[in-house]
Amino acid sequence: MTAPTTPTYEDRNTGTVYASAFEMVNAYITRFAESAQVALEPLDATGYTQVKRGSAYVGINVLEENGVLMFLAPIMEIPFAGRERLYRKLLELSFLQTSDAAFAIDGKKDVVYVRALRRISGLDFEEFEDLLQTVSAVADEWDDELQREFGEGA
């Protein structure tokens, strides 16, 4: 039986080793904020921060106990009428229109999100930046259109 291994938080491109997932993601957040010239708070004690890109708010979540980084952008509440049509549209969009992101539904809150998940170990800045830009671009592109087509009163 082999001993469990602890995750390594090392940037593949620079070789920089970080003490924790929080430290690594905070370094990437700082780097992204500087390159995009936006104000972006570091992760809070729960591993969360958010950034506004276009009309989208994207949450950046370090789920260290699961070894996962999650980007999550709320799109709309799920309407009572036309759910099946909305679900089909979301599946069709997730097939080719969302790149590394996908539409997801929080069943407890009845909210549609755009989300992307990535294992934290081995993550490099370029992947972080790409996933953040992808989620924000998809959310910014589709939030207004989906709300217009499926929102209450549509």
Side-chain angles (χ1 to χ4, degrees):
M1 183 172 189
T2 60
T5 60
T6 56
T8 301
Y9 302 112
E10 178 179 358
D11 187 297
R12 290 183 306 184
N13 293 332
T14 66
T16 304
V17 177
Y18 300 94
S20 68
F22 276 50
E23 185 181 319
M24 182 173 73
V25 172
N26 272 329
Y28 292 166
I29 287 168
T30 299
R31 191 169 162 191
F32 177 83
E34 289 170 357
S35 69
Q37 298 180 352
V38 297
L40 187 50
E41 294 293 319
L43 297 169
D44 65 17
T46 68
Y48 176 83
T49 193
Q50 78 174 9
V51 61
K52 185 172 190 315
R53 307 295 291 157
S55 62
Y57 286 90
V58 180
I60 302 169
N61 304 270
V62 171
L63 307 172
E64 194 162 19
E65 65 280 356
N66 298 319
V68 172
L69 177 65
M70 179 171 63
F71 297 92
L72 195 63
I75 299 297
M76 64 181 289
E77 291 183 10
I78 299 172
F80 183 75
R83 286 178 176 227
E84 293 80 13
R85 206 168 51 84
L86 171 63
Y87 297 159
R88 181 176 180 97
K89 176 82 170 196
L90 297 175
L91 285 170
E92 289 173 352
L93 291 172
S94 290
F95 183 62
L96 292 175
Q97 298 295 316
T98 58
S99 188
D100 290 331
F103 285 97
I105 295 170
D106 181 333
K108 292 180 182 174
K109 295 181 181 178
D110 265 355
V111 173
V112 175
Y113 293 90
V114 174
R115 73 153 178 85
L117 294 170
R118 167 62 165 83
R119 186 172 51 90
I120 299 171
S121 182
L123 177 72
D124 61 41
F125 174 74
E126 287 71 21
E127 290 173 300
F128 174 89
E129 181 179 43
D130 181 58
L131 288 170
L132 179 54
Q133 299 224 19
T134 297
V135 170
S136 60
V138 171
D140 187 39
E141 177 179 358
W142 290 102
D143 58 356
D144 294 333
E145 186 169 330
L146 289 170
Q147 288 176 34
R148 194 169 30 258
E149 186 174 347
F150 296 99
E152 296 301 327

